[in-house]
Amino acid sequence: MNPSTTPASIPVAARPFEFRLEPRRTALVIIDMQRDFIEPGGFGASLGNDVSHLAAAVGPTRTLLDAWRALAWPIVHTRESHAPDLSDCPPAKRHRGSPKLRIGDAGPMGRLLVRGEPGCDIVPALAPQPGEIVIDKPGKGAFHATPLGAELERLGVRQLVFAGVTTEVCVQTTMREANDRGFECLLVEEATASYFPAFKAATIEMIVAQGGIVGWAAPLASLMTALQPQLAARTASAA
Ligand code: TIU
């Protein structure tokens, strides 16, 4: 993009009020779009969840990913994952409840939430490309025990656009961590999903309540409409 055609900020229609997106200083953060959460036989299913609710977020997240790639803005993918020896998995996490399989147990997609296993991979439609940041995180929040904060500081990022699963667990936890660290956070509504649709709806309301106590939320179309001039300029300059 020719810097002279890039505005200082791009207004995005959002709740609770307009989000002013700063080009190049805004990273797309895609939370845990892993086979272990989205496909049958993974960690999400082992907890007794109906994983079919999550597939709807893949296409909208791909739309965002394609836009960020076209604009050459920063992209972060996260994976909830553990070392093969489970040294970074607190026993309190592994032993919680009575799941069919626990973290580290062998399932149809390999050992649940263990790095390097097929189930731990991000779904093929959203697979990271070279140059994109991939954060392996042992917790629900992506800042806890990871280099994410340092990476964003290195890139000069101060705003985060969120997609991923699940809305009320890892997405919300990470948005709250980011909000406390001074980032402005926008959640794209169609690009996130929960095993419990009512929890997704409630989480969006919690985020935008009280004047945006955690951040902003917007439909995918609002963001894509706002980015259209930038995407068109990028396409024209590439032609
Ligand atoms: N169980 C559930 O809803 N979520 C998680 O355990 N992790 C994420 O949200 N990534």
Side-chain angles (χ1 to χ4, degrees), residues 70-214:
L71 294 164
W73 293 350
I75 296 168
V76 176
H77 305 259
T78 72
R79 295 186 293 214
E80 184 174 345
S81 64
H82 295 282
D85 66 1
L86 303 185
S87 56
D88 57 359
C89 183
K93 180 177 183 183
R94 184 160 195 267
H95 295 299
R96 187 76 49 84
S98 310
K100 289 195 204 77
L101 294 171
R102 295 186 188 277
I103 294 168
D105 289 348
M109 294 189 287
R111 296 177 64 204
L112 299 190
L113 292 191
V114 170
R115 281 171 219 137
E117 300 286 337
C120 195
D121 281 347
I122 291 168
V123 293
L126 304 173
Q129 290 184 356
E132 297 172 1
I133 295 168
V134 179
I135 298 286
D136 282 301
K137 62 186 189 56
K140 303 304 182 192
F143 287 85
H144 167 68
T146 75
L148 179 58
E151 291 279 0
L152 295 175
E153 191 172 337
R154 179 178 64 78
L155 293 167
V157 165
R158 60 173 302 281
Q159 294 181 320
L160 305 175
V161 169
F162 278 91
V165 297
T166 61
T167 318
E168 78 281 12
V169 182
C170 292
V171 175
Q172 178 169 218
T173 302
T174 303
M175 284 186 77
R176 289 175 180 274
E177 286 182 320
N179 189 46
D180 283 350
R181 286 164 172 78
F183 293 93
E184 292 178 324
C185 299
L186 172 68
L187 177 60
V188 180
E189 293 172 10
E190 296 88 339
T192 185
S194 169
Y195 300 119
F196 306 92
F199 287 178
K200 170 180 168 174
T203 300
I204 292 170
E205 296 309 314
M206 282 180 221
I207 286 166
V208 305
Q210 304 182 63
I213 196 79
V214 178

